[in-house]
Amino acid sequence: MKENKRLEFKEKVSNTFLKTVSAFANYDGGIIIFGIKDDGSFSPIDNLNQTCLDIENTINDNITPEVEYSLNINEIDKTIFLEVKSGQFKPYLYKSKAYKRNDTSTVEVDSLEFSRLVLEGKNINFESLPSDNQKLTFSFLKNKFKQILNIQSFNTDVLKTLSLYSDNNGFNKAAQLLSDENNFCGIDIAKFGDNINIIQYRKTLETSSILKLYEDSIEIFKNNYEYEEIKGSSRVQIQNIPETAFREALANAIIHRHWDINAKIRILMFNDKVEIISPGGLPSGLTKEEYLKGRISILRNPILSNVFYRLKIVEIFGTGVLRILDCYKESIRKPDFDISDNTITIILPFVVKDLGFSEDTRTVYNALSKTIEKPISEIIKTVPFGKSKIGEILNNLVESGYVSIIGNGRGTKYKIR
């Protein structure tokens, strides 16, 4: 048993544990075990009942507002389990400061994160806040509703129905994002050559409706990854990367990102893949496993999500990742999802149809790249095989013409042809 984001060990009771109580209550909850050292070894507590009482009094006297928690004694190990629930009335403060977990440590939140906790405690989303510009126009949004839903009259009643406007507060941030002009960060697109030092194309999309930025990004994507091939008397549309997967990934980056961060969505285009990077990690309460399996749908921006849903751009049932994966069901190479506290990156590789590889060969092949040369020492980090087996598989791939070999000796590297 090791410490993690939702588990902390304390050898004895001191006020330092109150920072972690604040962190657990402010986010996803967690457990503090008293009577265990940082290395996981036991350090039995002598007077369990009195220590429980001390913990209870310390929490009640120092954390505001009141935290929901439970205490349990393990008589065998002489340890105490303190389970802290995620609270509804955030932020939970210790000495007027709010805390969060950063891997296995507890740190004070910054001013931006503190503001988010305040809004969450009031059950308010950032997109619901009043817009700082109340003179908004919606020509692009109006045309989309007319085109997709045949709505001819786009008036104040429609804006109210979409939760973009209220009589008390006027337009909100979501309306501002969808308006014809806004000052939010947009989308930064770069197309690279054989390596990241070669930038073939650069475009920043901003100041327009996010719906327009979405459609403009798709056009740039299609110009780089789709083409027509003449076969006999007909033209066949070829998609190196499924357009449906790109649309889904980009739409999710827009409707699930943190819009209070001064950072752009980034689209990085390579010769064998595209990466979509969205500012803001997973919503609180959602694990990576739940995100990848589509078990739970937690909407960070429900107003924007509703508009995209009504325009038939996305579903709102947590199926986005599943739809992306379904686009690659016939491909050897699969999408990858890199999730951190601050970003979600979706990597869409070129579709490579089944070449009759064995499962082991497919695993090694997927660890390679068309643009980046990799030595065995790097490949071995991502596959469950030893050096000799990897070398054997690579040699077979080279002989079959699927992989190129660069250099020799210790400098030998491999990449997809």
Side-chain angles (χ1 to χ4, degrees), residues 3 24 38 56 73 89 109 125 149 158 165 184 221 325 361 367 398:
E3 288 185 313
F24 287 159
D38 290 341
E56 183 176 347
I73 292 174
F89 307 105
V109 302
N125 298 303
L149 300 175
V158 174
Y165 181 87
F184 284 97
F221 166 83
L325 293 173
T361 300
V398 170

Side-chain angles (χ1 to χ4, degrees), residues 248 252 294 296-297 314-325:
E248 195 71 40
N252 275 270
I296 301 175
S297 178
V314 298
E315 295 291 339
I316 55 174
F317 305 108
T319 58
V321 172
L322 299 181
R323 286 154 66 95
I324 291 171
L325 293 173

Side-chain angles (χ1 to χ4, degrees), residues 176-185 206-210:
Q176 191 175 350
L177 283 161
L178 292 162
S179 66
D180 296 324
E181 295 183 12
N182 63 73
N183 57 359
F184 284 97
C185 288
E206 56 187 352
T207 71
S208 300
S209 168
I210 56 172

Side-chain angles (χ1 to χ4, degrees), residues 10 12-20 58 62 94-95:
K10 289 293 183 183
K12 57 184 180 180
V13 178
S14 67
N15 281 3
T16 58
F17 86 91
L18 292 168
K19 296 179 180 180
T20 304
T58 301
N62 290 279
Y94 168 57
K95 291 187 175 180

Side-chain angles (χ1 to χ4, degrees), residues 382-393:
T382 58
V383 300
F385 312 131
K387 183 176 180 181
S388 59
K389 183 170 183 177
I390 294 173
E392 180 184 346
I393 292 173

Side-chain angles (χ1 to χ4, degrees), residues 141-154 158 310-312:
L141 181 63
K142 176 182 177 180
N143 289 336
K144 295 308 295 182
F145 269 83
K146 182 177 179 180
Q147 174 188 344
I148 305 299
L149 300 175
N150 197 30
I151 293 179
Q152 302 297 320
S153 178
F154 196 83
V158 174
R310 287 173 179 265
L311 291 174
K312 306 183 188 303

